[in-house]
Each structure stands twice: as C-alpha cells, then as structure tokens.
Amino acid sequence: MSTYRRIVLFDLFGVIARHQRPGAQEKMAARCHAPVDAFTTAYWTYRPPYDAGRQSASAYWTDVLRALSRPADADTIEELRLTDIDSWSRVDDRMVTYVQSLRDRAEVALLSNIPADHADAFLAAQPWLHHLDHVAFSGKIHAAKPDPDAFRHCTVALHAAPADFLFVDDREENVRAAQANGMNAHIFTGHDELTAVIDAWLPTR
C-alpha cells in the first residue's frame, strides 16, 4: 500500500559521504602499537553494537584495545575516538548539492549506520542535514542496516508506506533488506546513473 508520496531515502557513507579516509586505519593502529591487520580485525569485529547504539564509544574502544592486548587508558581512547570521527568526515560535494536539489521534487531522508558520537559530529559539521525531511542515524535509533527495524523506523517516523520510498545504498545486502521490507531500492554506483534512476522514479512535473 502506498500513500502516493515520493521519498528518496539515502545511505550516507559511499553515497553522499566518502568512505573512511585513506591511511586512517594505519594511523590508529600505530597509536595502538599494533599491526594494521590485527587492528583492522578488532576495529570491525567490535563495531556492530557501537554502530547500533548499544555500546558507548569508551566501551567500544576498550574492547578493541583489549583484543590487541593494549591498555585502555582514557587518553588513548579519546585520541582514537577523535581520529576515527575525523576519518569518516569527508563528503562528496557534488552529491550534497544533488541531494539538496531533490527537495524541490520529493521528500528526502537519510538512513546511515553511524555511532551516536560520530552522528553528533556530522550534524555539527554538515548543517544541510538539518534541512532534510528526516535523518536516522543507527547510533541514535538503536538499529543498524540491514536490520528491518532500521527501515521500519523510517516508515514510522515519516508516517509513510514502504512503497513510498526509493532507498539508495552502495551495499547490496542493505538494498536487499530494504526491498524485503517493501521499499523500492537501488544500488548506488555513481551520480549520473542515480540521477537517471531517480528521474524515472519521480512523477513528471
């Protein structure tokens, strides 16, 4: 069932924002005095509860450091936390402009897997986010894609039907999850192909 609305729901990283800054993992590994491979494994292994708002930044970094057999002192944790936030802070200016321009033709929302403290920093640095119709960060809504609850949050928050949405993400598992929840969905591969897909999906003026 649709309410005949058109809501473009964007992922953030890999679509509007850049993936992690090159060299960031190496920099954080060096701060931990750990091999890069071991650091990367620990970094991602303990990430899901942090992304989903079920664990604080301090608890996350404590787990990472303990997995590397390193002391989890407050100064190290804070340095790692801030380096990590900075490493995910870059946006694609062309995509930001495009997303903002779409608001003349559709409702525009965001659904991103991002820890709560990262979300706060992103909101402070990117004021355009405050002008979207809805912004859902996993660390704030306590559900991370591809969890169905993340998509349900958006339908409830916007008082919309799943069929009202076109979800855009660069990860296939998230696109499949959105489709399983009744949304239209598209795998992002670039700006130009996305504009054609959205133009075809939106009603003609």
mmCIF file with all atom_site columns, all heavy atoms in Angstrom, residues 57-69:
data_model
loop_
_atom_site.group_PDB
_atom_site.id
_atom_site.type_symbol
_atom_site.label_atom_id
_atom_site.label_alt_id
_atom_site.label_comp_id
_atom_site.label_asym_id
_atom_site.label_entity_id
_atom_site.label_seq_id
_atom_site.pdbx_PDB_ins_code
_atom_site.Cartn_x
_atom_site.Cartn_y
_atom_site.Cartn_z
_atom_site.occupancy
_atom_site.B_iso_or_equiv
_atom_site.pdbx_formal_charge
_atom_site.auth_seq_id
_atom_site.auth_comp_id
_atom_site.auth_asym_id
_atom_site.auth_atom_id
_atom_site.pdbx_PDB_model_num
ATOM 1   N N   . ALA A 1 57 ? 31.188 4.769  23.041 1.00 0.00 ? 57 ALA A N   1
ATOM 2   C CA  . ALA A 1 57 ? 32.492 4.854  22.387 1.00 0.00 ? 57 ALA A CA  1
ATOM 3   C C   . ALA A 1 57 ? 33.581 4.310  23.305 1.00 0.00 ? 57 ALA A C   1
ATOM 4   O O   . ALA A 1 57 ? 34.486 3.588  22.857 1.00 0.00 ? 57 ALA A O   1
ATOM 5   C CB  . ALA A 1 57 ? 32.787 6.297  21.999 1.00 0.00 ? 57 ALA A CB  1
ATOM 6   N N   . SER A 1 58 ? 33.512 4.656  24.570 1.00 0.00 ? 58 SER A N   1
ATOM 7   C CA  . SER A 1 58 ? 34.528 4.182  25.513 1.00 0.00 ? 58 SER A CA  1
ATOM 8   C C   . SER A 1 58 ? 34.538 2.661  25.606 1.00 0.00 ? 58 SER A C   1
ATOM 9   O O   . SER A 1 58 ? 35.611 2.033  25.589 1.00 0.00 ? 58 SER A O   1
ATOM 10  C CB  . SER A 1 58 ? 34.270 4.790  26.895 1.00 0.00 ? 58 SER A CB  1
ATOM 11  O OG  . SER A 1 58 ? 35.201 4.313  27.829 1.00 0.00 ? 58 SER A OG  1
ATOM 12  N N   . ALA A 1 59 ? 33.362 2.060  25.672 1.00 0.00 ? 59 ALA A N   1
ATOM 13  C CA  . ALA A 1 59 ? 33.282 0.595  25.765 1.00 0.00 ? 59 ALA A CA  1
ATOM 14  C C   . ALA A 1 59 ? 33.794 -0.055 24.477 1.00 0.00 ? 59 ALA A C   1
ATOM 15  O O   . ALA A 1 59 ? 34.483 -1.083 24.525 1.00 0.00 ? 59 ALA A O   1
ATOM 16  C CB  . ALA A 1 59 ? 31.850 0.172  26.043 1.00 0.00 ? 59 ALA A CB  1
ATOM 17  N N   . TYR A 1 60 ? 33.461 0.545  23.342 1.00 0.00 ? 60 TYR A N   1
ATOM 18  C CA  . TYR A 1 60 ? 33.927 0.006  22.058 1.00 0.00 ? 60 TYR A CA  1
ATOM 19  C C   . TYR A 1 60 ? 35.443 0.013  21.985 1.00 0.00 ? 60 TYR A C   1
ATOM 20  O O   . TYR A 1 60 ? 36.075 -1.002 21.669 1.00 0.00 ? 60 TYR A O   1
ATOM 21  C CB  . TYR A 1 60 ? 33.328 0.810  20.901 1.00 0.00 ? 60 TYR A CB  1
ATOM 22  C CG  . TYR A 1 60 ? 34.019 0.570  19.580 1.00 0.00 ? 60 TYR A CG  1
ATOM 23  C CD1 . TYR A 1 60 ? 33.887 -0.647 18.911 1.00 0.00 ? 60 TYR A CD1 1
ATOM 24  C CD2 . TYR A 1 60 ? 34.837 1.551  19.002 1.00 0.00 ? 60 TYR A CD2 1
ATOM 25  C CE1 . TYR A 1 60 ? 34.528 -0.874 17.705 1.00 0.00 ? 60 TYR A CE1 1
ATOM 26  C CE2 . TYR A 1 60 ? 35.479 1.332  17.801 1.00 0.00 ? 60 TYR A CE2 1
ATOM 27  C CZ  . TYR A 1 60 ? 35.331 0.114  17.153 1.00 0.00 ? 60 TYR A CZ  1
ATOM 28  O OH  . TYR A 1 60 ? 35.978 -0.115 15.970 1.00 0.00 ? 60 TYR A OH  1
ATOM 29  N N   . TRP A 1 61 ? 36.039 1.154  22.272 1.00 0.00 ? 61 TRP A N   1
ATOM 30  C CA  . TRP A 1 61 ? 37.492 1.249  22.150 1.00 0.00 ? 61 TRP A CA  1
ATOM 31  C C   . TRP A 1 61 ? 38.199 0.419  23.215 1.00 0.00 ? 61 TRP A C   1
ATOM 32  O O   . TRP A 1 61 ? 39.304 -0.101 22.981 1.00 0.00 ? 61 TRP A O   1
ATOM 33  C CB  . TRP A 1 61 ? 37.932 2.712  22.189 1.00 0.00 ? 61 TRP A CB  1
ATOM 34  C CG  . TRP A 1 61 ? 37.647 3.397  20.881 1.00 0.00 ? 61 TRP A CG  1
ATOM 35  C CD1 . TRP A 1 61 ? 36.721 4.367  20.640 1.00 0.00 ? 61 TRP A CD1 1
ATOM 36  C CD2 . TRP A 1 61 ? 38.280 3.121  19.636 1.00 0.00 ? 61 TRP A CD2 1
ATOM 37  N NE1 . TRP A 1 61 ? 36.738 4.724  19.316 1.00 0.00 ? 61 TRP A NE1 1
ATOM 38  C CE2 . TRP A 1 61 ? 37.685 3.981  18.680 1.00 0.00 ? 61 TRP A CE2 1
ATOM 39  C CE3 . TRP A 1 61 ? 39.287 2.247  19.228 1.00 0.00 ? 61 TRP A CE3 1
ATOM 40  C CZ2 . TRP A 1 61 ? 38.065 3.977  17.343 1.00 0.00 ? 61 TRP A CZ2 1
ATOM 41  C CZ3 . TRP A 1 61 ? 39.672 2.232  17.894 1.00 0.00 ? 61 TRP A CZ3 1
ATOM 42  C CH2 . TRP A 1 61 ? 39.067 3.094  16.969 1.00 0.00 ? 61 TRP A CH2 1
ATOM 43  N N   . THR A 1 62 ? 37.582 0.259  24.363 1.00 0.00 ? 62 THR A N   1
ATOM 44  C CA  . THR A 1 62 ? 38.141 -0.633 25.380 1.00 0.00 ? 62 THR A CA  1
ATOM 45  C C   . THR A 1 62 ? 38.205 -2.059 24.853 1.00 0.00 ? 62 THR A C   1
ATOM 46  O O   . THR A 1 62 ? 39.211 -2.762 25.019 1.00 0.00 ? 62 THR A O   1
ATOM 47  C CB  . THR A 1 62 ? 37.315 -0.569 26.672 1.00 0.00 ? 62 THR A CB  1
ATOM 48  O OG1 . THR A 1 62 ? 37.414 0.745  27.236 1.00 0.00 ? 62 THR A OG1 1
ATOM 49  C CG2 . THR A 1 62 ? 37.811 -1.579 27.705 1.00 0.00 ? 62 THR A CG2 1
ATOM 50  N N   . ASP A 1 63 ? 37.134 -2.499 24.180 1.00 0.00 ? 63 ASP A N   1
ATOM 51  C CA  . ASP A 1 63 ? 37.114 -3.844 23.596 1.00 0.00 ? 63 ASP A CA  1
ATOM 52  C C   . ASP A 1 63 ? 38.204 -3.998 22.534 1.00 0.00 ? 63 ASP A C   1
ATOM 53  O O   . ASP A 1 63 ? 38.879 -5.032 22.461 1.00 0.00 ? 63 ASP A O   1
ATOM 54  C CB  . ASP A 1 63 ? 35.746 -4.140 22.987 1.00 0.00 ? 63 ASP A CB  1
ATOM 55  C CG  . ASP A 1 63 ? 34.691 -4.459 24.025 1.00 0.00 ? 63 ASP A CG  1
ATOM 56  O OD1 . ASP A 1 63 ? 35.044 -4.704 25.197 1.00 0.00 ? 63 ASP A OD1 1
ATOM 57  O OD2 . ASP A 1 63 ? 33.495 -4.461 23.650 1.00 0.00 ? 63 ASP A OD2 1
ATOM 58  N N   . VAL A 1 64 ? 38.349 -2.979 21.685 1.00 0.00 ? 64 VAL A N   1
ATOM 59  C CA  . VAL A 1 64 ? 39.362 -3.035 20.627 1.00 0.00 ? 64 VAL A CA  1
ATOM 60  C C   . VAL A 1 64 ? 40.762 -3.133 21.236 1.00 0.00 ? 64 VAL A C   1
ATOM 61  O O   . VAL A 1 64 ? 41.580 -3.982 20.834 1.00 0.00 ? 64 VAL A O   1
ATOM 62  C CB  . VAL A 1 64 ? 39.260 -1.800 19.702 1.00 0.00 ? 64 VAL A CB  1
ATOM 63  C CG1 . VAL A 1 64 ? 40.458 -1.731 18.750 1.00 0.00 ? 64 VAL A CG1 1
ATOM 64  C CG2 . VAL A 1 64 ? 37.957 -1.831 18.912 1.00 0.00 ? 64 VAL A CG2 1
ATOM 65  N N   . LEU A 1 65 ? 41.046 -2.283 22.204 1.00 0.00 ? 65 LEU A N   1
ATOM 66  C CA  . LEU A 1 65 ? 42.375 -2.265 22.806 1.00 0.00 ? 65 LEU A CA  1
ATOM 67  C C   . LEU A 1 65 ? 42.666 -3.558 23.565 1.00 0.00 ? 65 LEU A C   1
ATOM 68  O O   . LEU A 1 65 ? 43.792 -4.084 23.502 1.00 0.00 ? 65 LEU A O   1
ATOM 69  C CB  . LEU A 1 65 ? 42.505 -1.052 23.734 1.00 0.00 ? 65 LEU A CB  1
ATOM 70  C CG  . LEU A 1 65 ? 42.618 0.291  23.002 1.00 0.00 ? 65 LEU A CG  1
ATOM 71  C CD1 . LEU A 1 65 ? 42.303 1.450  23.930 1.00 0.00 ? 65 LEU A CD1 1
ATOM 72  C CD2 . LEU A 1 65 ? 44.012 0.457  22.393 1.00 0.00 ? 65 LEU A CD2 1
ATOM 73  N N   . ARG A 1 66 ? 41.684 -4.080 24.253 1.00 0.00 ? 66 ARG A N   1
ATOM 74  C CA  . ARG A 1 66 ? 41.892 -5.338 24.961 1.00 0.00 ? 66 ARG A CA  1
ATOM 75  C C   . ARG A 1 66 ? 42.131 -6.492 23.996 1.00 0.00 ? 66 ARG A C   1
ATOM 76  O O   . ARG A 1 66 ? 42.933 -7.388 24.278 1.00 0.00 ? 66 ARG A O   1
ATOM 77  C CB  . ARG A 1 66 ? 40.693 -5.628 25.863 1.00 0.00 ? 66 ARG A CB  1
ATOM 78  C CG  . ARG A 1 66 ? 40.669 -4.750 27.116 1.00 0.00 ? 66 ARG A CG  1
ATOM 79  C CD  . ARG A 1 66 ? 39.466 -5.007 27.978 1.00 0.00 ? 66 ARG A CD  1
ATOM 80  N NE  . ARG A 1 66 ? 39.525 -4.203 29.202 1.00 0.00 ? 66 ARG A NE  1
ATOM 81  C CZ  . ARG A 1 66 ? 38.500 -4.024 30.040 1.00 0.00 ? 66 ARG A CZ  1
ATOM 82  N NH1 . ARG A 1 66 ? 37.327 -4.589 29.764 1.00 0.00 ? 66 ARG A NH1 1
ATOM 83  N NH2 . ARG A 1 66 ? 38.644 -3.287 31.120 1.00 0.00 ? 66 ARG A NH2 1
ATOM 84  N N   . ALA A 1 67 ? 41.442 -6.471 22.849 1.00 0.00 ? 67 ALA A N   1
ATOM 85  C CA  . ALA A 1 67 ? 41.665 -7.515 21.847 1.00 0.00 ? 67 ALA A CA  1
ATOM 86  C C   . ALA A 1 67 ? 43.094 -7.459 21.309 1.00 0.00 ? 67 ALA A C   1
ATOM 87  O O   . ALA A 1 67 ? 43.644 -8.481 20.870 1.00 0.00 ? 67 ALA A O   1
ATOM 88  C CB  . ALA A 1 67 ? 40.677 -7.350 20.699 1.00 0.00 ? 67 ALA A CB  1
ATOM 89  N N   . LEU A 1 68 ? 43.701 -6.276 21.359 1.00 0.00 ? 68 LEU A N   1
ATOM 90  C CA  . LEU A 1 68 ? 45.075 -6.087 20.898 1.00 0.00 ? 68 LEU A CA  1
ATOM 91  C C   . LEU A 1 68 ? 46.082 -6.204 22.039 1.00 0.00 ? 68 LEU A C   1
ATOM 92  O O   . LEU A 1 68 ? 47.277 -5.954 21.835 1.00 0.00 ? 68 LEU A O   1
ATOM 93  C CB  . LEU A 1 68 ? 45.206 -4.712 20.230 1.00 0.00 ? 68 LEU A CB  1
ATOM 94  C CG  . LEU A 1 68 ? 44.342 -4.489 18.984 1.00 0.00 ? 68 LEU A CG  1
ATOM 95  C CD1 . LEU A 1 68 ? 44.360 -3.023 18.569 1.00 0.00 ? 68 LEU A CD1 1
ATOM 96  C CD2 . LEU A 1 68 ? 44.804 -5.376 17.834 1.00 0.00 ? 68 LEU A CD2 1
ATOM 97  N N   . SER A 1 69 ? 45.566 -6.557 23.225 1.00 0.00 ? 69 SER A N   1
ATOM 98  C CA  . SER A 1 69 ? 46.406 -6.672 24.433 1.00 0.00 ? 69 SER A CA  1
ATOM 99  C C   . SER A 1 69 ? 47.119 -5.356 24.733 1.00 0.00 ? 69 SER A C   1
ATOM 100 O O   . SER A 1 69 ? 48.294 -5.315 25.104 1.00 0.00 ? 69 SER A O   1
ATOM 101 C CB  . SER A 1 69 ? 47.428 -7.800 24.277 1.00 0.00 ? 69 SER A CB  1
ATOM 102 O OG  . SER A 1 69 ? 46.779 -9.031 24.078 1.00 0.00 ? 69 SER A OG  1
#
